[in-house]
Amino acid sequence: MEQEPEIKKEGRLTLVLALATLIAAFGSSFQYGYNVAAINSPAEFMKEFYNETYYDRSSEYLSDFSLTLLWSISVSMFPFGGLIGSLLVGPLVNKLGRKGTLLLNNIFSIVPAILMGCSEVAKSFEMIIVSRLLVGICAGLSSNVVPMYLGELAPKNLRGALGVVPQLFITVGILVAQIFGLRSVLANQEGWPILLAVTGIPAVIQLLLLPFFPESPRYLLVKKKNEQAARKALQRLRGWDEVDAEMEEIRREDEAERAAGFISVLKLFRLKSLRWQVISIIVLMAGQQLSGVNAIYYYADQIYRSSGVKENDVQYVTAGTGAVNVVITMCAVVVVELLGRRSLLLLGFSTCFTACCVLTVALALQDTVSWMPYLSIACVIIYVIGHALGPSPIPALLITEIFLQSSRPPAFMVGGSVHWLSNFAVGLLFPFIQEGLGAYSFILFAGICLLTTIYTFLIIPETKAKTFMEINQIFAKKNKVSEVHPEKEELKDLPPSTLEE
């Protein structure tokens, strides 16, 4: 009973915790979203630059095939870089820490921002291609490290809300890129290099401000064995000196894992005690990207045009869709601790499934029924709402929650790799799927949404307001093992009370 007041106090959003969250998310997650969308609006001007540059060098223009290939490489370098960044997560967060990795990651944003900003003056489209690879590495690292960092900074009853903040800033980044990408702003002949270079500004801000905020207390205590630094970090984050209970919880996690030693990606796949956790992150990360979210955005402009939206107004409608995405993600930040992670995943994927099914019908009948184009627009918006509620923000949050300290970095490597490989596959294959299946393309995505919904219903537990140890005990039962790491039996010496809050 004496610890009850302290448990209640852990829910406070202190100024230090709030600012650390905002700076980490703005400096990293924002860039991910911005670079996803920034290259779309000025595409025609950039292709023209590619052609003119090649003509200046060789006195002949690129063939249609060569230009398309160069442009495809420019676009696909981003998810390819994201995959590389995901593979770097484990080694970097273990060596440099969560905050240290985010600070180093700014190099992969500032350097390409300068290169892209100077590419037109330098008459080099190669600088853009290399830069897209570098900002992809930045996105691959940030999409994994920011949720890990914030999940370890937050008290358990705010972990969900703060864990969704990175996705919120990704959507804000997309929206800002769409606004800057309006023809009247920067998506024009003179402005497109500036549009691409803006990504360096958040990186500079993070580089200047993040050093003043704490490293993850879990990293400091478990990995660095620095109890004093961990205690000081917790005191700054919580806003009071009595952090003994939380320090003890971190120690229990450390003791429960110490005998397991270093967990590599290979060992992660081989441990029976982590079987359902690994399967779950693969299913959720693949479901997130293969559910058609990128295809919906790809198809949106065509849907808007066919429903009578004027060519020049499509850009404003697209930006409006981006604004809806931001608003719904803000709602997810608020409701994730009320409704829980599992509920939002089920609601989100089932909404996307329904929207894809109806959209298929609407697209098939678009030329024969006068009001079908409006139904198509409604389906796009409903799909975006569904995805923003659960499939977009929750999977990365769950990786932080369902893995303990030693297995968290390799888990993020696996989840990130699946995320970027799926992203790359959709970007590469969807144009061919669309050409072959037309309106019926979205049946595939509906099927993936349905399968992910069923998996979530059957397997994924609710993790709201539970400690990392309590969550892993739930999965221990699913894995049919008595302990978290049965091969070492390190939990058998712990009294039952240590598994409680």
Side-chain angles (χ1 to χ4, degrees):
M1 292 301 292
E2 292 150 3
Q3 286 186 7
E4 192 63 23
E6 186 172 342
I7 292 171
K8 287 181 181 176
K9 284 200 298 182
E10 286 179 358
R12 285 175 49 193
L13 182 63
T14 60
L15 182 62
V16 172
L17 179 58
L19 290 176
T21 300
L22 292 175
I23 292 166
F26 175 66
S28 297
S29 303
F30 175 90
Q31 295 181 64
Y32 174 8
Y34 187 88
N35 285 302
V36 164
I39 201 170
N40 295 332
S41 301
E44 295 309 312
F45 299 106
M46 292 176 69
K47 288 177 185 177
E48 188 179 324
F49 165 67
Y50 282 26
N51 229 343
E52 293 295 336
T53 301
Y54 188 80
Y55 181 82
D56 290 342
R57 295 176 186 176
S58 62
S59 299
E60 59 181 38
Y61 288 108
L62 288 161
S63 66
D64 288 344
F65 175 80
S66 299
L67 180 59
T68 302
L69 180 63
L70 264 181
W71 183 249
S72 297
I73 291 171
S74 302
V75 173
S76 61
M77 277 296 104
F78 182 73
F80 182 67
L83 176 61
I84 295 172
S86 294
L87 296 175
L88 294 174
V89 169
L92 288 178
V93 295
N94 285 329
K95 190 169 183 62
L96 302 177
R98 283 61 165 149
K99 186 178 83 169
T101 301
L102 290 177
L103 290 171
L104 175 69
N105 195 30
N106 289 307
I107 294 172
F108 297 111
S109 179
I110 295 170
V111 170
I114 295 169
L115 291 176
M116 288 188 289
C118 298
S119 58
E120 188 181 34
V121 175
K123 298 288 183 185
S124 172
F125 52 75
E126 292 87 354
M127 288 168 68
I128 295 174
I129 294 171
V130 171
S131 297
R132 288 288 292 174
L133 177 68
L134 294 175
V135 293
I137 293 172
C138 175
L141 279 166
S142 67
S143 62
N144 292 288
V145 179
V146 176
M148 188 190 307
Y149 179 55
L150 298 185
E152 294 180 5
L153 291 189
K156 67 174 186 178
N157 55 325
L158 288 179
R159 202 168 56 225
L162 297 189
V164 175
V165 169
Q167 182 61 34
L168 172 61
F169 273 84
I170 290 173
T171 63
V172 171
I174 292 172
L175 178 60
V176 170
Q178 289 171 336
I179 293 171
F180 285 0
L182 296 174
R183 299 283 187 272
S184 56
V185 185
L186 290 175
N188 49 55
Q189 193 74 53
E190 300 78 29
W192 67 261
I194 301 171
L195 175 65
L196 298 183
V198 164
T199 187
I201 295 174
V204 172
I205 292 172
Q206 186 183 81
L207 201 57
L208 293 173
L209 297 181
L210 193 60
F212 296 102
F213 291 88
E215 175 59 272
S216 159
R218 277 183 153 74
Y219 172 78
L220 292 171
L221 185 60
V222 174
K223 205 74 184 171
K224 302 299 287 184
K225 309 299 181 188
N226 190 335
E227 183 169 336
Q228 184 178 354
R231 182 177 294 275
K232 186 177 178 183
L234 269 178
Q235 288 170 340
R236 285 189 66 199
L237 289 164
R238 302 296 177 256
W240 64 81
D241 293 334
E242 301 84 12
V243 293
D244 289 341
E246 200 164 353
M247 288 284 288
E248 185 58 31
E249 182 202 321
I250 298 172
R251 283 195 199 93
R252 291 173 203 154
E253 185 182 336
D254 181 29
E255 289 168 10
E257 294 201 299
R258 194 178 297 146
F262 173 73
I263 295 183
S264 63
V265 171
L266 184 61
K267 188 173 183 181
L268 194 73
F269 280 99
R270 293 171 62 184
L271 285 174
K272 183 182 178 184
S273 57
L274 295 176
R275 179 179 299 161
W276 280 111
Q277 291 96 311
V278 174
I279 294 172
S280 294
I281 62 166
I282 291 173
V283 170
L284 290 177
M285 280 298 186
Q288 180 194 68
Q289 291 301 307
L290 299 178
S291 59
V293 61
N294 295 324
I296 284 281
Y297 279 115
Y298 184 91
Y299 213 88
D301 286 4
Q302 185 177 328
I303 292 171
Y304 296 148
R305 288 190 195 96
S306 63
S307 60
V309 178
K310 294 178 182 176
E311 183 67 37
N312 196 49
D313 293 339
V314 167
Q315 57 183 333
Y316 300 107
V317 179
T318 301
T321 307
V324 170
N325 200 3
V326 172
V327 171
I328 299 303
T329 307
M330 289 175 68
C331 294
V333 173
V334 176
V335 302
V336 68
E337 292 297 353
L338 296 174
L339 299 181
R341 289 69 155 144
R342 185 172 182 270
S343 299
L344 289 182
L345 282 173
L346 290 171
L347 178 62
F349 275 115
S350 57
T351 300
C352 292
F353 164 71
T354 306
C356 283
C357 290
V358 178
L359 181 59
T360 301
V361 175
L363 291 174
L365 300 176
Q366 192 144 291
D367 297 328
T368 56
V369 181
S370 60
W371 49 269
M372 278 297 171
Y374 303 105
L375 182 60
S376 299
I377 292 179
C379 287
V380 169
I381 295 171
I382 291 168
Y383 181 97
V384 168
I385 289 171
H387 213 275
L389 270 178
S392 286
I394 302 300
L397 165 63
L398 279 178
I399 298 178
T400 301
E401 294 190 324
I402 67 178
F403 289 92
L404 297 180
Q405 184 78 25
S406 64
S407 53
R408 203 169 287 139
F412 268 100
M413 288 174 67
V414 172
S417 299
V418 173
H419 171 100
W420 289 104
L421 280 171
S422 302
N423 190 327
F424 182 78
V426 171
L428 191 67
L429 298 177
F430 180 69
F432 299 102
I433 295 171
Q434 184 188 2
E435 189 176 330
L437 297 178
Y440 298 98
S441 305
F442 291 97
I443 286 292
L444 293 175
F445 301 125
I448 290 168
C449 290
L450 179 61
L451 291 173
T452 313
T453 304
I454 294 169
Y455 181 89
T456 301
F457 180 78
L458 295 176
I459 302 298
I460 304 295
E462 183 51 68
T463 59
K464 180 179 74 172
K466 290 183 172 65
T467 66
F468 294 131
M469 285 297 294
E470 289 168 343
I471 294 165
N472 270 263
Q473 287 300 303
I474 294 171
F475 272 100
K477 293 175 183 175
K478 289 183 181 295
N479 291 318
K480 293 184 169 54
V481 294
S482 58
E483 312 295 350
V484 178
H485 292 299
E487 74 283 3
K488 296 295 184 181
E489 298 187 343
E490 67 267 33
L491 293 184
K492 288 192 174 177
D493 296 327
L494 297 179
S497 60
T498 62
L499 299 179
E500 299 169 2
E501 184 60 12

